[in-house]
Structure formats: C-alpha cells, structure tokens
C-alpha cells in the first residue's frame, strides 16, 4: 500500500540531499593534487616553481621546459593513502531524534594518480611540450549505515588536464611560457536520504525515523578550458627564480541522480514513484593558483629551494543546483583563499645518486567547523618528505619519493533547522582525525 506521502514533498527532500552531493563535489577540490612529479614530491613541492629539473615540472611551471635542452619524456605514478576518521560523533534529525549506528566513521580511500609529460626543442628559441596530469581530486567512502550517512557515503572526484605548452627562450637567462588546459572532470557522489523521518512526519504508520533509508547516487561530468603562464629566470649561475599561474576553469556538471532502497518500506516508496530518479546540473569552478619559488645551488653537492603557493578557494562562495523538475537549491561554501609554504634540499651523494628531503605547511580553505563536512573533512596540514634519484646513464633518471601528511584534529558541527540546507540531512558533529601517506615513482629520459 502506498505511503501517505506526496511525491512533491519527497522531491524537495531529494533535491536537498542532491544539493549536498553536488556541493561536496566543489568541496572535494579542497584536496588539491600536487603529485605530478616524484622529484617535486620528494622535496615537499619546494622546487615546484623554480626546480625545472625535468619535463614533469611543466605541470607546476610551464616555463620549466626551457631549462631542458633537446627532447625529453617523463612518466610517473603516485599512490595516495588517506585517513579521515570521525570520533565522538553525534547525529540527529531536524526534530532532534537521535541517529545511532555501529558502522565505522572511517572514510579514507586510496588512489593511484598517474602523470605524463614530453617536450621537444623546436629551435634555439622555442620549445613545445605536452603534460597530462590530475590537478584536483578526492576519494572518501563510508559504510552506508554509518552515523553521518545523510551527509555523505561516497565521494569520488577525478580531473584530468591535457596541457599543450609553448616556451619562448627570451634570453639566455629568461624563459616565458604559456599553456592551454583542457580539463575533464568526473564525479560520483552518494549519501543516504532519511525517508523514514520524512514519511513519519506525513503520518505514515509504517515509517521509522532513521530506519527506512533511500540511497541517492549522483554522477556527472564535463569539459572545461583554461590556461597557464610561467616564467623562469636564471639570476646567476647558481640561483634560479620561478613564477607560474594557473587559471580557474568553469565546468557545468550534468548527470543523473539514481535512488535505491535499503528495506521494504523504502523499496515500496520507490516502486510507487514517491522517490524517483532525476537529472540535474551544477556549476563548478576549479580554482586559480599561483606559485613563487627560488632554487639555489649552494655548493657543487648541495642545493636549497623554497616555494610559496596561493590558491583562490574563495571562488567557492555558494553553489546553485538546478534540477529537471524546475527546482533549485543553494549551498553556502564560504571558503577562504589559502597559502602553502615549503622548503627543501638536494644532496648529490655521488654522480649517480641524489638524495632529497623537504618540509611544508598547508592551510585549509574550510573557515570553521560549521562549514566542514564528512566529504571534505579538511584541516591544516604539515608535510615531511624524502626521496632519491638514481641516474644510471646521462639520459635516464629514476626517482622515488615519500611524503607524510600530518593533519590537525578538527571539529565538525553541521547544524540543521527546518529552513536551512541541512533540513533533510540532520545534525552531525564530532572531531576528525586527518592524515595521509603518499608514495611516488617516476622515470625521465632525455634524447
């Protein structure tokens, strides 16, 4: 027997839940992917703007290819193992009825991030290159019955940039470069919908708050276009400065919301058309960023480097989601612009072996506990890295690097009222523990 619950009211609940999904996709870019070069990772990204040690640095500064004579290719892969765990969690629906669950609050996921770059020197003044890499991404996944399931279950965002680059050797000391960025973004996002509470409020005798969940999964993708600019200046034989800028890219993610039940009551609601699939779209902007760096060869064996990176996360002020039934939903983000700072050193142990190390700090764009979500439980982080490059021949290099990310323990306080964006998701609070390990391996060959 159909539940006494109108499809229109349920559509509003689904719309609110879907807004949470898409806003999380925007939030997922709070985890910027910097692992385009094992050499850069092993130095805690302190050589990103000015290192220019091989063609893979083109992803950080397009002018890097002007520091490399002839032709070169490089390929690499990074393995990211992240941990996001919620402790002392409390949750309830908008009416204050507590949610309970024994499922894990561990949402960390592992991911492989490949990259490729190649360049050729056209003549004495011009270089042409191509880089393929991922600049933004996130993967978190919780159990479907965990206590924060109405805010998030699965979040996966993948981006791929295709960056053709042209470098001009303006003088013997100065390189200027420009690159086009074609970016593809793909997202899969899911959370539970508390159908039990919504139906109980409509007087259904069969519904129980927190017991008759519907799982909503949203998928969407799009292409967007931007640019990158870079300069590399060899001030002296031992000191090099670098600066690069990567533009923001506007995307319109279009996709579908698919729903599924978890028990006979929610299955029956879907079969009766009270909960249904629908299409939707949302505008997403991946932010602009700026790198400034210096690289100094202190001695024949020892090189020192430093980098500062600014990211324009404030472009995430709000997110408007449009649904095919004509309804809209707005989610406030209120993120802040951030800086990341790092220092590093290389030591040439022999002609074939170079040792690498670095330290760094990275600000979170999330301004306070009320804007922190289970999809992006981001925190201020500190980096410590080490690695080595083996040069078996003059043209071939093999690099391995390891980066440990230490995140601050941070609070989350998602508050629900009958009129705010958490009305269908409920209240959720607790303390997040954030940490990650990153391993990278790359090979470069010059010919």
């Amino acid at each position: 027997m159909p539940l006494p619950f109108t499809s229109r009211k349920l559509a509003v609940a689904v719309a609110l839940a879907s807004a949470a999904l898409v806003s999380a996709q925007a939030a997922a870019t709070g985890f910027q992917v910097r692992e385009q070069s094992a050499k850069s990772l092993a130095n805690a990204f302190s050589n990103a703007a000015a290192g220019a040690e091989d063609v893979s640095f083109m992803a950080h500064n397009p002018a890097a290819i002007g520091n490399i004579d002839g032709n070169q290719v490089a390929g690499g892969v990074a393995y990211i193992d992240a941990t996001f765990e919620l402790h002392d969690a409390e949750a309830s629906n908008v009416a204050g009825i507590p949610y309970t669950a024994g499922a894990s609050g561990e949402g960390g996921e592992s991911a492989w991030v490949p990259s490729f770059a190649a360049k050729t020197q056209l003549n004495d003044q011009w270089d042409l290159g191509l880089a393929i890499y991922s600049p933004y991404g996130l993967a978190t996944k919780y159990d479907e019955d965990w206590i924060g399931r109405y805010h998030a279950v699965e979040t996966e965002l993948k981006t791929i940039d295709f960056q053709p680059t042209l470098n001009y050797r303006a003088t013997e000391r100065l390189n200027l470069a420009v690159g086009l960025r074609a970016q593809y973004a793909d997202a899969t996002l899911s959370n539970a919908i508390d159908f039990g509470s919504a139906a109980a409020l409509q007087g259904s005798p069969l519904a129980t708050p927190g017991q008759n969940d519907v799982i909503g999964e949203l998928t969407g993708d799009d292409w967007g276009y931007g640019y990158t600019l870079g300069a590399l200046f060899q001030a002296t034989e031992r000191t090099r400065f670098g600066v690069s800028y990567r533009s923001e890219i506007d995307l319109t993610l279009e996709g579908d919301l698919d729903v599924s039940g978890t028990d006979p009551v929610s299955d029956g609601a879907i079969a009766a058309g009270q909960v249904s699939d629908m299409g939707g779209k949302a505008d997403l902007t991946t932010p602009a960023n700026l790198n400034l760096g210096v690289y100094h060869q202190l001695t024949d064996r020892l090189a020192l480097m430093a980098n500062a990176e600014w990211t324009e996360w404030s472009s995430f002020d709000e997110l408007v989601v449009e649904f095919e039934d004509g309804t809209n939903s707005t989610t406030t983000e209120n993120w802040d612009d951030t800086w990341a700072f790092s220092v590093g050193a290389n030591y040439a142990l022999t002609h074939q072996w170079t040792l690498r190390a670095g330290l760094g700090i990275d600000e979170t764009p999330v301004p306070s506990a009320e804007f922190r979500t289970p999809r992006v439980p981001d925190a201020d982080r500190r980096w410590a890295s080490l690695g080595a490059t083996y040069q078996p021949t003059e043209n071939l290099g093999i690099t391995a690097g390891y980066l440990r990310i230490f995140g601050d323990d941070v609070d989350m306080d998602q508050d629900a009222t009958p009129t705010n964006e958490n009305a269908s998701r409920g209240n959720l609070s607790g303390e997040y523990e954030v940490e990650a390990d990153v391993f990278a391996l790359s090979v470069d060959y010059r010919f």
Side-chain angles (χ1 to χ4, degrees), residues 131 161-166 178-182 225-228:
D161 271 26
F162 297 85
Q163 180 188 309
T165 300
L166 187 64
V178 60
L180 170 69
R181 296 171 57 219
Y225 302 92
Y227 63 90
T228 180

Side-chain angles (χ1 to χ4, degrees), residues 109 220 240 305 366 369 373 434 441:
E109 284 280 278
R240 185 164 60 244
M305 59 212 73
V366 181
T373 74
V434 180
L441 179 68

Side-chain angles (χ1 to χ4, degrees), residues 322-390:
E322 300 177 6
F323 300 96
E324 65 180 4
D325 66 354
T327 60
N328 294 344
S329 181
T330 300
T331 301
T332 303
E333 298 292 348
N334 201 32
W335 281 23
D336 296 328
D337 296 341
T338 62
W339 283 94
F341 302 96
S342 56
V343 294
N346 291 343
Y347 184 75
L349 188 65
T350 69
H351 289 298
Q352 291 184 314
W353 285 96
T354 299
L355 305 182
R356 302 172 180 273
L359 297 170
I361 56 174
D362 191 10
E363 296 178 318
T364 176
V366 181
S368 63
E370 67 180 294
F371 296 103
R372 185 167 289 110
T373 74
R375 296 193 184 281
V376 192
D378 202 15
D380 289 341
R381 289 153 286 174
R382 296 166 303 283
W383 308 327
S385 68
L386 53 86
T389 296
Y390 174 55

